[in-house]
Amino acid sequence: MNREPQSNPDLKERILQWLKKAWSSFRVWFKHYWQLFIAMLKKFWHRYQLTRWIIVIFLGIFLIASIHLTFVAKTADVKNLKNRLQRPTMIYDRSNQSAGSLYAQKGTYVELKNISTNVPAAVLSTEDRNFYHEHGFSVKGLGRAGFLLVKNKLLHRDYISGGGSTLTQQLVKNAFLTQQQTFSRKAREIFIAVEVENQYSKNEILTMYLNNAYFGHGVWGVQDAAKRYFNENASQLTVPQAATLAGMLTSPGIYDPIEHPSATKQRRNMVLQLMVENHKISQSAADQYKQTPLNVTNGYVPNDSYKYPYFFDAVIAEAESRYHISEKDIMNNGYRIYTTLDQNQQRSMQQTYDDDDNFPQNSADGTMVQSASIAMNPKNGGVTAVVGGRGKHVFCGFNRSTQMRRQPGSTIKPIVVYTPALEHGYFYDSTLQDKKQSYGTNNYTPKNYDDTYSGTVPMYKALYESLNAPAVWLLNKIGVNRGYDMAEKFGLPVEKGDKNLALALGGMTKGVSPQQMARAYAVFANDGLMPSPHYITKIEDASGKVIAKNDGTKNKRIISGKTAKEMTSMLIGVFDHGTGETAKPSGYTLAGKTGTTNSGVKGDDSNDRDKWIVGYTPDVVVATWEGYDDTNQSHTLNDISERSINYLYKNEMSAILPNTAGTKFTVEDAQTRANDQTKGSSKGWGSFLKDGDNFVNNFNQSINNFGNKASQWWSNVRSLF
């Protein structure tokens, strides 16, 4: 009997059957072991009471977070909030007289009774209808914020979109926190808001909010906003006007009645409808108000109490860098800042800079020649006046007196050449070589200004005529290291690459600022002691508590008092018969130094890049710089000009010095001393004493030169190993 062959199942069907059997077996296996795992987990969970531990951990985290946030709220200085918002930060001069104030997120503060009732009605209808029935935060708002937080985390967004902030929370955010939208900021906001509610009444909070709200165009507070947009006082605002301002709070840039009148009017009408819903006005009244045209009239006059801009900028910078108080806090917390400012000196310096006739004419393309000056009390380092540039001032912008770095030219000679020379055996009238010669393997060849040389010259004359050849010769004699070390002691920012003979003429990698030069020359005016420059003497918070104080850093001994007097004697000659003669104000004796740097422009050796004058009396040091911000072929300083830096400095000092004590130097001009000595020692014992003095002078120089050569020889020997 023949049997028909059975057909084999299709391969695909066989695979499916196998997968079903495998899945069924896996389910049985997984179920068995899953049940075992659950049983073991229940046993483990029950044995170690994990539910309780999870609850304890959760409550512990919540408790720690609550304690931390409560501490943040309690230390946020909420008690001073009203004082901070009511008054601006005041600046006082060195006589404790008011010198101006700082404004930022602050306008004219008015009490609630002087604000039209239409304003709170519109604001509360828009921003927080339950304001009078909640304690700083809204549970419903927090629920919405929590939902958005979870949503954004799932979408990998590290911020909160919105958050149902109450009016109190908005006040806290503006007054204490940043605008960054994070969960931690929101948590701090809530706890501080509760503390604000504990400290102030609802009406006080509403008043602070309305005076601290931003309304665009640099205007803060409802009073200034009323003036800016309607030329009305806050007490006279109508319902449509109040609705306009309330509508701006959400986004002053979008709902700007000046730039976007159509959008602003739509927003105003929306606020009017919200006022209807909040039972503040009737529907018929709202419909009538919606037809009112949006008329803008500007009657706002900005506050001009930032009277001394560069000085105030420096105060803010010092508060940040030295006392770690942020710019926002300085501008908004109603501090009293006591400073070293002399208003008479500052005012006269600003007037000098406001007069364009004191400066060279602008370049052909209209670029202005820049300049900067600073006045300092040499006894304590207190800055009494400062101007950081010409032209329009930019708030906390670039201050050339403190932030600029330019090569100092010959103003560095007294510091790195003549002072160390006096400290190591030379005398004010020591004979220096005045010849054109080359030094080192690179044949460095300094030249005098007019390329003429006298062979020899006394030190005081080499200084007041600002001769380059004798200065480099002398630095080579005493050793570059001594000049470099002296620059460091005087606080000048030299670098290792500056250890060469060019340092004698101001060759530096980075350069110096006028403030650094004023501090350095204060050493000569203060009998060898260097003070620490500062602007702030004391800062008080809004309640009068001292939060920062400059106790007066002790002056640091840099050179001997004798050396300082000798340097002053020589530096007087700069203004009496030297390079600064035309910069000397009539009726006053000044000591100091001039300086210039070559333009550095290829093919232009006759013009300059920088011009400096640093001068002082026992009462004040004034350092002044002049030049272009960017030196190039079209922007260099002419070597000879009717309105040179000497002209500027003379006018500047003629106005500043009458506002000082007028203390006289206790030393004479070095050239006068030298002439008197020559006359008195021409015969007899005088001649012998003169010869003896020259003998001691030459002996000291010989010993000094021998020491330098021995040091150089030893350095060469060490280099071999």
Side-chain angles (χ1 to χ4, degrees):
M1 180 176 177
N2 295 330
R3 301 172 98 183
E4 294 182 5
Q6 294 182 345
S7 59
N8 292 328
D10 183 78
L11 180 60
K12 182 177 180 181
E13 185 177 343
R14 289 170 61 189
I15 292 174
L16 288 174
Q17 288 176 355
W18 181 85
L19 288 174
K20 287 179 181 179
K21 287 179 65 176
W23 173 246
S24 178
S25 299
F26 174 77
R27 287 180 61 188
V28 171
W29 175 86
F30 180 79
K31 183 177 181 181
H32 172 70
Y33 283 100
W34 177 253
Q35 289 173 347
L36 289 176
F37 172 75
I38 293 298
M40 291 176 63
L41 181 61
K42 285 181 178 180
K43 184 177 180 181
F44 179 82
W45 195 281
H46 179 71
R47 180 178 179 182
Y48 292 100
Q49 300 181 356
L50 293 185
T51 301
R52 295 182 180 181
W53 278 111
I54 291 174
I55 294 173
V56 168
I57 292 171
F58 176 78
L59 292 177
I61 294 173
F62 181 78
L63 178 62
I64 292 172
S66 298
I67 292 173
H68 169 70
L69 291 170
T70 300
F71 176 78
V72 170
K74 293 295 184 181
T75 57
D77 198 24
V78 169
K79 288 184 179 180
N80 272 330
L81 177 58
K82 187 175 181 179
N83 288 334
R84 286 167 46 195
L85 298 180
Q86 279 183 314
R87 64 167 65 99
T89 291
M90 298 297 300
I91 303 292
Y92 297 91
D93 65 13
R94 64 179 183 176
S95 301
N96 297 333
Q97 299 298 310
S98 176
S101 58
L102 311 182
Y103 281 89
Q105 299 177 7
K106 194 168 294 188
T108 305
Y109 198 95
V110 290
E111 295 295 339
L112 190 61
K113 64 182 180 181
N114 294 322
I115 300 174
S116 168
T117 56
N118 297 322
V119 176
V123 170
L124 295 180
S125 297
T126 309
E127 298 294 319
D128 190 1
R129 295 186 190 181
N130 295 318
F131 172 69
Y132 284 100
H133 307 290
E134 58 204 10
H135 197 69
F137 65 95
S138 167
V139 176
K140 185 184 295 185
L142 288 178
R144 183 166 62 253
F147 170 76
L148 291 172
L149 171 65
V150 173
K151 176 183 176 182
N152 289 328
K153 288 296 182 183
L154 292 174
L155 295 174
H156 303 290
R157 300 171 181 167
D158 192 23
Y159 61 87
I160 298 173
S161 301
S165 294
T166 63
L167 187 145
T168 308
Q169 287 176 253
Q170 293 180 49
L171 172 64
V172 166
K173 180 174 63 177
N174 289 334
F176 294 102
L177 306 172
T178 67
Q179 300 299 314
Q180 184 181 14
Q181 293 184 325
T182 61
F183 180 77
S184 60
R185 195 272 293 164
K186 177 64 70 174
R188 293 196 301 273
E189 178 185 295
I190 292 170
F191 274 74
I192 298 176
V194 172
E195 183 64 19
V196 169
E197 293 275 353
N198 291 336
Q199 296 287 342
Y200 299 99
S201 69
K202 287 290 185 180
N203 283 346
E204 286 178 317
I205 294 171
L206 179 59
T207 303
M208 289 187 288
Y209 175 83
L210 293 175
N211 281 284
N212 192 238
Y214 183 58
F215 291 94
H217 291 279
V219 175
W220 296 81
V222 66
Q223 170 63 25
D224 289 350
K227 281 289 184 182
R228 176 63 183 86
Y229 299 112
F230 307 113
N231 195 22
E232 296 280 1
N233 289 317
S235 59
Q236 303 298 319
L237 290 172
T238 64
V239 172
Q241 291 171 342
T244 301
L245 297 183
M248 295 178 67
L249 293 172
T250 302
S251 179
I254 296 176
Y255 304 119
D256 180 347
I258 299 173
E259 301 294 336
H260 308 290
S262 179
T264 303
K265 188 173 182 179
Q266 291 179 10
R267 176 65 176 170
R268 180 201 69 179
N269 292 347
M270 181 183 295
V271 173
L272 290 170
Q273 193 59 43
L274 292 174
M275 293 176 70
V276 173
E277 296 176 8
N278 200 30
H279 309 294
K280 298 300 180 183
I281 58 175
S282 65
Q283 184 63 61
S284 59
D287 292 339
Q288 183 178 353
Y289 291 139
K290 290 177 184 179
Q291 304 304 315
T292 305
L294 185 67
N295 295 322
V296 177
T297 305
N298 184 7
Y300 174 64
V301 179
N303 191 293
D304 61 350
S305 63
Y306 207 76
K307 294 166 60 177
Y308 310 119
Y310 282 107
F311 193 96
F312 287 4
D313 284 356
V315 167
I316 295 170
E318 185 169 278
E320 288 187 285
S321 62
R322 182 173 295 186
Y323 302 110
H324 310 294
I325 303 174
S326 69
E327 179 185 311
K328 178 182 177 182
D329 287 344
I330 282 290
M331 299 296 289
N332 296 301
N333 285 3
Y335 293 138
R336 298 184 185 94
I337 304 179
Y338 296 86
T339 72
T340 58
L341 172 69
D342 184 305
Q343 292 194 68
N344 290 326
Q345 292 185 27
Q346 180 69 45
R347 194 179 299 112
S348 67
M349 186 179 285
Q350 288 184 185
Q351 289 171 351
T352 301
Y353 270 73
D354 288 340
D355 186 354
D356 291 339
D357 289 339
N358 288 321
F359 299 90
Q361 292 183 349
N362 297 344
S363 62
D365 62 2
T367 302
M368 179 181 290
V369 174
Q370 274 300 339
S371 183
S373 289
I374 189 168
M376 181 183 296
N377 183 335
K379 297 179 178 64
N380 57 29
V383 176
T384 53
V386 62
V387 172
R390 298 178 65 203
K392 185 177 180 181
H393 169 261
V394 177
F395 174 73
C396 285
F398 185 62
N399 188 331
R400 295 168 183 83
S401 285
T402 59
Q403 297 172 294
M404 179 185 70
R405 297 292 182 269
R406 302 292 279 256
Q407 292 191 353
S410 293
T411 57
I412 205 173
K413 289 177 181 175
I415 297 167
V416 302
V417 179
Y418 298 114
T419 292
L422 291 175
E423 293 261 289
H424 291 85
Y426 282 80
F427 294 87
Y428 76 95
D429 58 351
S430 293
T431 300
L432 308 183
Q433 180 175 294
D434 183 23
K435 296 179 181 179
K436 187 175 183 180
Q437 67 180 75
S438 301
Y439 301 87
T441 56
N442 62 343
N443 292 320
Y444 175 61
T445 309
K447 295 188 294 184
N448 288 341
Y449 174 74
D450 55 1
D451 206 18
T452 61
Y453 308 88
S454 59
T456 60
V457 63
M459 184 190 291
Y460 64 84
K461 186 174 183 180
L463 190 154
Y464 76 65
E465 288 190 352
S466 200
L467 301 177
N468 292 335
V472 175
W473 177 86
L474 183 55
L475 181 60
N476 186 58
K477 285 293 184 181
I478 64 174
V480 172
N481 285 341
R482 282 179 176 162
Y484 180 90
D485 292 342
M486 192 62 73
E488 283 190 318
K489 289 176 67 176
F490 272 75
L492 302 186
V494 287
E495 299 187 354
K496 290 184 179 180
D498 299 331
K499 280 190 178 183
N500 55 70
L501 291 176
L503 182 63
L505 308 183
M508 296 177 65
T509 303
K510 290 185 177 179
V512 296
S513 68
Q515 179 169 293
Q516 289 171 331
M517 292 306 293
R519 176 182 61 176
Y521 273 74
V523 174
F524 302 135
N526 194 32
D527 292 328
L529 297 171
M530 184 170 71
S532 177
H534 62 280
Y535 297 78
I536 297 171
T537 57
K538 182 175 63 174
I539 302 177
E540 295 177 353
D541 66 15
S543 65
K545 178 184 176 182
V546 177
I547 60 172
K549 189 174 183 180
N550 186 330
D551 294 325
T553 305
K554 289 185 178 180
N555 293 345
K556 183 179 179 181
R557 170 66 65 185
I558 302 299
I559 56 176
S560 68
K562 179 182 178 182
T563 300
K565 284 182 169 56
E566 288 287 86
M567 283 303 309
T568 295
S569 176
M570 290 195 292
L571 291 169
I572 289 174
V574 172
F575 288 97
D576 278 0
H577 29 252
T579 55
E581 186 174 4
T582 58
K584 181 182 178 180
S586 178
Y588 293 94
T589 299
L590 257 67
K593 188 70 182 72
T594 63
T596 60
T597 66
N598 188 268
S599 68
V601 176
K602 188 175 181 180
D604 183 2
D605 295 328
S606 61
N607 291 330
D608 299 318
R609 180 176 188 262
D610 306 288
K611 289 183 180 294
W612 290 84
I613 298 184
V614 187
Y616 63 91
T617 70
D619 302 314
V620 66
V621 183
V622 179
T624 298
W625 165 87
E626 190 174 273
Y628 285 98
D629 285 335
D630 297 308
T631 302
N632 52 48
Q633 191 73 44
S634 304
H635 303 103
T636 59
L637 296 173
N638 293 329
D639 193 46
I640 300 175
S641 172
E642 292 181 359
R643 295 186 291 184
S644 66
I645 191 172
N646 287 33
Y647 181 79
L648 166 66
Y649 200 79
K650 180 178 181 178
N651 290 339
E652 187 175 35
M653 294 301 282
S654 296
I656 289 176
L657 291 177
N659 296 305
T660 65
T663 308
K664 304 294 184 181
F665 287 121
T666 58
V667 294
E668 286 186 306
D669 167 38
Q671 180 163 289
T672 302
R673 292 168 59 197
N675 291 338
D676 290 344
Q677 186 181 35
T678 301
K679 292 178 182 178
S681 59
S682 59
K683 297 179 180 180
W685 281 102
S687 177
F688 173 79
L689 291 175
K690 177 184 177 183
D691 293 340
D693 184 61
N694 286 336
F695 173 77
V696 173
N697 186 356
N698 292 331
F699 177 77
N700 284 334
Q701 291 185 36
S702 298
I703 294 297
N704 197 35
N705 293 340
F706 176 77
N708 288 332
K709 290 180 179 179
S711 177
Q712 293 173 4
W713 176 82
W714 178 243
S715 297
N716 293 334
V717 172
R718 290 181 62 188
S719 66
L720 295 176
F721 299 93

